[in-house]
Amino acid sequence: MVVSRDLIEETTFSKVASVDAPAFDIEPTTLKDLINSTRRVSVNSAEAPSTTLSSTKDTDVQVEHHASLVHDDVYFGNTLFLEGLPSSVSFDHTDTRGTFVNISLPSATCEVDINLGKLRFCKFISGSRQKVWWMIPGWGKKASEIPLETQFLLMRLTPDGTPVDQEQYAIILPLVSGPFRSALKPGPSGSVILRVETGDSETARSSIDNAAFIAAGPDPFKLLAEGFAAASERVETFKPREGKQLPNYFDVFGYCTWNAFYENVSASGIVTELKSFRDAGVPARTLIIDDGWQDTVNPHADRTAKTAGLGWMITHLTSGVVEWFYWKFVWNAPTSSLWFKLWQKWCTAWPLKNYLAVKWSGEDFAWSRRLRSPEPNAKFLATTRTGKLGDFVSEVKSELGISEVWAWHSLLGYWGGVEAEAGAWPSGSRIEMAKPMESILGVEPQMAWDPLVLGGLGLTPQPAQLYDTIHRSLAHAGVDGVKIDIQAVTTMLGEKRGGSRKVTTEYLQAAEESVRKHFGSSTQMINCMSHASECLYSVKGSSVVRASDDFWPKAPASHSSHIVHVAYNSLFIGEIAQPDWDMFQSKHPAAGLHAAARAVSGGPVYVSDTPGEHNFELLRRLVLPDGAVLRATLPGRPTRDSLFADVTADGHSPLKVWNRNRCNGVLAAFNVQGASWDRARRDNYMHGSHAERVEGVLRASDVEGLLDPLAPSAPEYVLALLHLAPDGQLLSTSTQTLRADQPLPFALAHRHSLLATVARVRAARAREADGRLRSVKWAALGLEGMLNGGAAVVSEAETPHAGGAEYAQVEAAGAGTLLLHCDAPPAAVLLDARPLPAHAFHYDPSHHLLRVPFQPRHPRTSATIQVAF
């Protein structure tokens, strides 16, 4: 039963004000009294802290973390946020970081739409589901533009042109709470609806605590971090990213088999590829054996016309017409179209439903198959030397330098779960039917006739039994970790099991515990196809979540969309886990775009090159000779001036992404205009807003947290820039010295990329010939030519030299040429305390650049470079 707002509250909005109208016309002192006298507080809140308004000019916008009520309107400070909050909603102010939203209903329900009122903001960026499995960003200026299944919403409350120190932002985080999960969708007349549901008609409540979290503040990144931390402490089903350990594969180059081999993966093909990387000087250290290695069976293949029924026989005779009609008129049709509605009707009726169940499940597709045993399939084992997985794992580790081997499996074992009748699984294993919730069918209606839904899923009695069986076998063979895919499938298994949130948390946390037990740490796990909020809010011990839908090498419209999706999704996912921006192929028309994105992502760098198809020159800008990668420390996220710009379709905005290294920052800019995900077509497509050129500016202050607010004077920064063509060709390099807020203009052609190391200018004392001391400006820029060369700078300092002078000292990781900016030539350069001859380094006086080639004494260690002036 869906309870509408009309059943909850008989009255409509008390007022509907113009979007352009001022927020209030009450004196601040009077407003304060109203807030304190009319605040609606949850029964769970023992005491609501008072909300005060500081005295400011009348034109100032005041925003506080807590939401407050004036009659039925919600304010942050003196800023109107929501008009017409229903009486069924109450606030819990007990957390200083923001406000939790509680709901009280007249009767128990399993799903309800709560109209929260008219939403006031200037712009938004949302994280909304595009499929059952994945989420994408959305932008807008009106509540009516908020997509269905919005799971995270960040809004700017202040208009364009507001000074940076006066900007204000707000968040709404729909949460999981008890058996419920929540999401936003647009309502009538500029309102926003909170959809709250269990996914189980038998699990209903009349009281829903912590259905959402709302807060406001001047820093969007801090707002999100504090919001997710507060949510974690309240719902207790997940833990935030900060403080989580990352798996070892993040810091080394990896190879994944998926795009290279798909389901036809072979041990011999893997060995050939690993040798290619080793021989080219970019050795892979991690191997991910993706889908295709498991022992699976298609239980539908033997279903005949007799078992399917006469209806299927009749429909089968016209199968060509049926399929032609589907792909011609239905697949990309708007859900409102006549053809789509006819198909949807037919799919629920005999005989087409029976035909689809057999045809689409009976065909030998991966999603029709079930896991027969935890062992590798005979086809894969036949390509190994000895016919044993353990021997193959030992071979790639001992002979090809692989440090860790990871293996793929589905959250249910395989796409269709386990083959219940196979002897490998516990007694009581059974076939269950999936049931997508109505909310996701609004986003991906095809799930109503998806093979996973029509064909049923094989489930073991307890998730822990499934994972213990699979992981014990893999660990015995020497495998070190697992990529667990298709995770959001459990959101369709809530019916009669306590709801989608309960089932999903049970599966994911059982998987985490099994990974911890068999592989030593729950961080040895990649969460994939897991963007449903039930999945994200169940990530407790693991620390990696894939950031977007796959890298699709043969889908030209997908590549710029991919970069956009991973960057903006990382705003939200990056507060729960470290986002993994997926593999790519180094020899591809968009390889440069993907490589630049991986360099700034803070995630792993791994490829899925097809045999013989490599761009080793590009890979050497990402991978060090020992197989390590130079990784930034945080999730890469859009800069503030990119947050609310539709960088795919406004025709002029570049995408800018920031991250930090240990001693400096890194920025990337992309021209990704011209392609995006279309929610009506349900696919990526090229559109008319293709921009041959975009213009923007880079600033050192674009890197959040890089500037020192306690610096005695405005510091300078050196930007070391690399310009990449779409295919990865390095077009130019340059350096520029700027003040923190000084803009550096740039222009980018379509699918071109720009990367910049942002290093603070320091000062070292030098002794003149007459004995006087002077100051020499310098900055460590990192390894020259690397896409994130600044990550090689482990530490930097001024250390004592003779006569009161100082060395400019840099500890550098990797191997190559250390690039330094210094406004005076060096008098001496030392490498690991040993003076270098003059020919061993080079100073360019026209660009003030010092180049020092170095090689650490021992592999995977750092070198210390000291420069005296």
Side-chain angles (χ1 to χ4, degrees), residues 732-755:
S732 66
T733 63
S734 61
T735 58
Q736 186 74 41
T737 303
L738 305 168
R739 297 184 305 278
D741 288 320
Q742 185 178 347
L744 176 63
F746 67 85
L748 288 173
H750 187 236
R751 291 193 172 179
H752 282 231
S753 311
L754 188 67
L755 285 147

Side-chain angles (χ1 to χ4, degrees), residues 404-425:
E404 292 190 346
V405 175
W406 290 48
W408 179 99
H409 69 80
S410 161
L411 190 64
L412 300 183
Y414 200 68
W415 284 87
V418 300
E419 176 53 28
E421 297 178 359
W425 311 114

